[in-house]
Amino acid sequence: MLRVSHLTPIAPPALSALRLSLSPTLNLLSPSNVHKVSTFAHSQTSLSLIFRPSSLHSPSLSVKWVLQRMVGNPCPKGTASFSAESSSGDGREILVQHLLVKEDNLKLLVDLQQRVSGGEDLSDLAAEYSICPSKQEGGMLGWVRKGQMVPEFEEAAFNASLNKVVRCKTKFGWHLLQVLSEREESVLQDIQPEELHVKMQDPSFLDEAQLIDVREPEEVHVSPLFHRAQASLLGFQVLPLRKFGSWGPEITTKFNPQKDTYVMCHHGVRSLQVAKWLQTQGFKRVFNVSGGIHDYAQRVDPTIPTY
């Protein structure tokens, strides 16, 4: 069974690669993985050694990170901007778990691989023997794409058959890894206020797109002294980030992951984090409103009150 912690402690500075992610709603390809992956869907952070530092500039959403940094300050200063990462050409994301032992511990690795072949679960062995911080989640790394991991691990993972446990060596030591599932690579990109405004003039856009505003109620319903009582846009459903615990687990039942989904906040900071998290939940096309409603008011519609 998969072992998870409610809030994983931050790894020491020596761990140069850190990945924070809320686990995805999983597209299972094997019934044997149902319990394992559904359990992982409630974990909150994943720490690993094998991710490239360059992949850490756009981490997925961590509930702990959001609650501490965003909810504590619902109107962060500055504007978030994001450019879609170039596709690897593979077009896949894979769900991976692994365990890691030291380079001089090959005998242990071989023994563990034999135990997996004998029917033991890799996640149980990772929790007991792995030296990677991901052991706290049974070695689960979450959904990854090419370009995020160190080359040796990436090559082994993307060439591995589903559910087959394979071994590889990196600068960190020896790994046993297992690919549990795969899916089509998703899209995440910024949309400028002007572009969003043009789209919103088309009545069919409001019917076909999913619009999410992650600001708090007090940000949406501003002082009646303003000419316009609400700092909001037509069609956006308010899902306050402070209430993430109530709407997060139901996101894939209330919204369709196959539809284009647009996320907005005050300056585009919180919405970018939620957009990244939506990717981990299987949403195929996610757009972050660059600059948030503040930039929309400044550049498109001055009747919207700013704050």
Side-chain angles (χ1 to χ4, degrees):
M1 105 183 221
L2 197 66
R3 294 178 171 88
V4 297
S5 58
H6 182 62
L7 288 176
T8 307
I10 299 299
L15 303 181
S16 60
L18 170 68
R19 177 178 172 89
L20 298 173
S21 67
L22 236 183
S23 63
T25 299
L26 302 170
N27 177 20
L28 299 178
L29 299 182
S30 169
S32 64
N33 291 327
V34 170
H35 176 69
K36 178 185 304 181
V37 224
S38 62
T39 304
F40 174 65
H42 296 288
S43 68
Q44 297 190 351
T45 57
S46 176
L47 306 178
S48 175
L49 288 166
I50 56 89
F51 287 88
R52 294 181 182 178
S54 61
S55 73
L56 305 175
H57 294 302
S58 55
S60 302
L61 181 69
S62 157
V63 171
K64 180 181 179 182
W65 190 92
V66 169
L67 293 181
Q68 289 183 342
R69 290 174 170 77
M70 292 300 184
V71 175
N73 179 18
C75 304
K77 301 298 182 182
T79 296
S81 180
F82 176 81
S83 298
E85 296 179 359
S86 58
S87 173
S88 64
D90 183 85
R92 289 185 300 151
E93 294 177 332
I94 57 176
L95 180 67
V96 188
Q97 65 179 2
H98 85 130
L99 65 77
L100 171 68
V101 299
K102 294 180 179 180
E103 184 177 357
D104 59 0
N105 235 344
L106 180 58
K107 185 178 183 300
L108 172 61
L109 187 86
V110 172
D111 177 61
L112 294 176
Q113 191 168 13
Q114 290 175 346
R115 290 172 63 177
V116 172
S117 299
E120 294 191 51
D121 196 292
L122 180 64
S123 61
D124 288 335
L125 297 177
E128 185 173 354
Y129 294 101
S130 181
I131 61 172
C132 177
S134 65
K135 68 180 294 178
Q136 297 183 56
E137 292 175 3
M140 184 63 73
L141 301 177
W143 289 98
V144 298
R145 64 186 65 174
K146 282 193 173 180
Q148 290 184 307
M149 300 173 290
V150 294
E152 301 87 352
F153 191 96
E154 178 175 285
E155 181 178 1
F158 276 88
N159 287 302
S161 301
L162 282 178
N163 299 311
K164 182 179 180 180
V165 175
V166 299
R167 115 181 34 157
C168 73
K169 184 181 179 183
T170 70
K171 62 183 179 181
F172 301 110
W174 285 99
H175 305 256
L176 289 181
L177 67 91
Q178 184 178 31
V179 177
L180 300 175
S181 185
E182 64 178 37
R183 68 186 184 189
E184 182 182 349
E185 188 174 343
S186 58
V187 172
L188 169 60
Q189 64 186 55
D190 267 349
I191 182 169
Q192 298 301 317
E194 295 86 353
E195 184 181 355
L196 176 62
H197 178 70
V198 171
K199 287 181 177 292
M200 294 184 70
Q201 305 316 300
D202 181 355
S204 65
F205 174 75
L206 296 177
D207 294 330
E208 297 170 0
Q210 301 176 131
L211 310 176
I212 300 174
D213 185 340
V214 298
R215 293 176 299 150
E216 306 305 319
E218 60 269 24
E219 296 181 81
V220 178
H221 304 284
V222 297
S223 170
L225 296 177
F226 285 102
H227 172 68
R228 180 168 166 175
Q230 287 192 332
S232 60
L233 294 181
L234 179 66
F236 274 83
Q237 181 174 340
V238 179
L239 299 179
L241 201 53
R242 281 199 184 103
K243 301 286 187 179
F244 179 85
S246 62
W247 57 260
E250 301 177 353
I251 195 70
T252 55
T253 58
K254 293 185 176 180
F255 294 88
N256 185 351
Q258 303 301 319
K259 286 189 174 183
D260 288 3
T261 304
Y262 296 76
V263 191
M264 178 182 70
C265 67
H266 189 195
H267 288 291
V269 178
R270 287 167 287 170
S271 58
L272 177 58
Q273 296 300 322
V274 173
K276 291 173 183 294
W277 173 72
L278 287 173
Q279 275 192 302
T280 72
Q281 303 305 295
F283 283 71
K284 299 300 184 185
R285 289 169 53 84
V286 187
F287 300 86
N288 179 53
V289 180
S290 179
I293 196 166
H294 180 84
D295 274 17
Y296 192 95
Q298 294 280 348
R299 295 158 56 178
V300 176
D301 186 355
T303 68
I304 298 175
T306 55
Y307 59 97

